[in-house]
Amino acid sequence: MELSTIESHDIGTAPEHQPVPAGAAKKVFVKTYGCQMNVYDSQRMTDALAAEGYVATDAVEDADLVLLNTCHIREKAAEKVYSELGRIRDMKAERAETGRELLIGVAGCVAQAEGAEIIRRAPAVDLVIGPQTYHRLPDVLARVRGGQKIVETDYAIEDKFEHLPQPKRAEVAKRGVTAFLTVQEGCDKFCTFCVVPYTRGSEVSRPVAQIVAEAERLAEAGVREVTLLGQNVNAWHGEGENGGEWGLGRLLLRLAKIPGLARLRYTTSHPRDMDDELIAAHRDLPALMPYLHLPVQSGSDRILKAMNRRHTARDYLTLIDRIRAARGDIAMSGDFIVGFPGETDADFEATLKLVRNVSYASAFTFKYSPRPGTPGAEMDGHVSEAVKDERLQRLQALVNEQQQGFIAGMVGRTISTLIEKPGRRPGQKVGRSPWLQPVIVDDKAGGIGDIIDVRITKTGPNSLFAELA
Ligand code: SAH
Ligand code: SF4
Ligand code: F3S
């Protein structure tokens, strides 16, 4: 699960399809698009609504409030929201005949980017709320119930995390033994293809005490693995507990001391923010999992420059050498864009060369999608859809081959596995390897939340089968 892969993810609880009796708790259905930061935000919004008496449901037909937490990163992601809104509008119209209300809210990066335009295009929408103001959701809902349509897309000056309620212990436990924790938001890098600096605002780091307290609450509720999140997570910095300036490496060392937290991860990082301390943490901290998502986008210096990535292909490869020297078994993951304006065959070949050079355990590949308001959209030399398609296929084939090679190389090895949940088949449980693959084990191999050593016996397309070592 990387910043770029989750196309849609429903946050919800007990599936109940009976009609809601009068006077029962109101229900909210949240649908999440985009990255893990949205998954985290959806949980925090659900927690804020729980404090207002809303119960989460994963059956949209039962909902009194539908909240779409949206993504603006590529055109397709943004367009999905409008087709979903069409379906919900029809539901709302049917509902109106029975007298039961259905409120529709749009949150996330499309909300921030398009604001009131969403209500113009989809008049059934009651509220539009940007990612920086989720703590105002209860107040916004109260005003919506008073008959207003609300667009709330300011960048709040107050810290939303200070004001968002923490989930109840039972709720955390229900969400499982792995959890996300946003430590950093926003981006000041302004890559020329990307909307994130506009939808999420400038870089903000949450304070150490707030992060530690949240991680402790997670651990107390049984969470064993925490993934720290940020659009530029390794740009995180803050005042340490001893007064000095801390970077992400130092924060990870601190979090590793929390009893119960056995595994730490972080995503997504930018190559320019991988400092010595963070690289050293990969060497010194066994709890820091040997998997690093480090997007590079292109292997061509010309294109990297046009993208405003502010590093060369050589810089990136040198960095990976240093990371691998610190932690030999680290698996690399990345993001790539094909068909950025001006990309020639030679530029694309340079990307293939870089991929061969690094050898990725996984990678996410995208066709360049011009985004309104970004410099890239205005550049000359847009690449045809046919060429983008062809390049995407070639790059995907290479990446798949590397991914399969990585998984095949695990057969016979003994690895640690965090048992996460019951398997799809009876008699099985599913765990997670240090490199993020699902590991299928016998039900009796251990309980949920246990970390056990297993021997890999065979592989599936993206999973591992194992027996107790
Ligand atoms: N902060 C992260 C990436 C966040 S967006 C970083 O700097 O690496 C996740 C991924 O979406 C990016 O890495 C990029 O590969 C892809 N992406 C972003 N904008 C895009 C666009 N306009 N078209 C295609 N892919 C895009
Ligand atoms: Fe987007 Fe670049 Fe910021 Fe990543 S670093 S979020 S790609 S602008
Ligand atoms: Fe999408 Fe916003 Fe995340 S644009 S990728 S949901 S930061």
Side-chain angles (χ1 to χ4, degrees), residues 3-4 73-74 193-194 196 231-232 268-270 295 297 309 335-337 366-369 371:
L3 206 65
S4 31
I73 202 84
R74 285 168 289 273
F193 51 82
C194 184
V196 170
Q231 271 93 16
N232 268 291
T268 287
S269 28
H270 192 286
Q297 318 298 353
R309 292 292 288 184
D335 290 343
F336 293 89
I337 295 177
F366 308 102
K367 284 193 281 183
Y368 172 68
S369 168
R371 307 308 291 131

Side-chain angles (χ1 to χ4, degrees), residues 62-299:
D62 281 352
D64 302 282
L65 167 65
V66 172
L67 210 49
L68 303 184
N69 192 8
T70 61
C71 174
H72 203 245
I73 202 84
R74 285 168 289 273
E75 192 181 354
K76 250 197 210 149
E79 281 308 313
K80 260 187 205 161
V81 174
Y82 286 101
S83 49
E84 187 69 25
L85 282 174
R87 276 193 290 276
I88 303 166
R89 174 199 58 208
D90 297 344
M91 238 179 76
K92 182 170 178 156
E94 285 166 31
R95 218 32 112 67
E97 288 166 21
T98 69
R100 194 175 147 214
E101 191 180 45
L102 176 63
L103 297 178
I104 306 177
V106 177
C109 291
V110 177
Q112 189 63 44
E114 297 189 0
E117 177 61 24
I118 296 176
I119 298 183
R120 270 192 290 276
R121 236 180 112 176
V125 170
D126 299 288
L127 70 106
V128 173
I129 187 163
Q132 277 74 25
T133 43
Y134 291 153
H135 55 296
R136 296 188 191 153
L137 193 54
D139 170 57
V140 166
L141 268 176
R143 285 189 284 153
V144 166
R145 271 195 228 98
Q148 282 174 275
K149 296 225 181 231
I150 306 285
V151 177
E152 179 82 58
T153 51
D154 295 344
Y155 292 123
I157 23 170
E158 71 273 18
D159 173 7
K160 72 170 171 189
F161 294 111
E162 285 271 2
H163 294 83
L164 278 167
Q166 288 284 343
K168 298 244 167 5
R169 192 189 166 114
E171 186 58 35
V172 176
K174 203 162 64 188
R175 287 173 186 166
V177 294
T178 63
F180 292 139
L181 200 177
T182 293
V183 299
Q184 181 280 337
E185 272 211 279
C187 182
D188 297 335
K189 300 252 179 341
F190 291 92
C191 302
T192 53
F193 51 82
C194 184
V195 291
V196 170
Y198 312 97
T199 64
R200 293 277 175 166
S202 51
E203 284 178 9
V204 178
S205 295
R206 290 179 70 187
V208 171
Q210 220 184 61
I211 297 167
V212 171
E214 188 166 330
E216 282 172 349
R217 287 181 66 108
L218 293 171
E220 279 159 19
V223 168
R224 305 299 317 276
E225 175 179 304
V226 168
T227 303
L228 305 183
L229 301 180
Q231 271 93 16
N232 268 291
V233 70
N234 55 347
W236 180 90
H237 59 96
E239 189 183 328
E241 287 166 330
N242 47 7
E245 175 83 359
W246 282 10
L248 190 67
R250 194 66 187 73
L251 180 68
L252 287 162
L253 293 183
R254 173 64 184 89
L255 296 177
K257 293 202 179 102
I258 296 175
L261 279 194
R263 288 178 157 198
L264 296 170
R265 303 178 186 275
Y266 61 93
T267 200
T268 287
S269 28
H270 192 286
R272 281 179 59 92
D273 292 319
M274 286 303 298
D275 63 15
D276 293 346
E277 211 171 30
L278 185 53
I279 295 175
H282 280 283
R283 181 192 63 212
D284 300 335
L285 204 56
L288 184 54
M289 291 293 99
Y291 180 95
L292 180 60
H293 185 65
L294 195 63
V296 62
Q297 318 298 353
S298 168

Side-chain angles (χ1 to χ4, degrees), residues 51 87 171 204 207 229 257 262 313 318 334 338 373 382 412 421-422 433 450:
R87 276 193 290 276
E171 186 58 35
V204 178
L229 301 180
K257 293 202 179 102
T318 308
V338 299
H382 279 267
K421 55 188 178 198
S433 83
D450 288 349

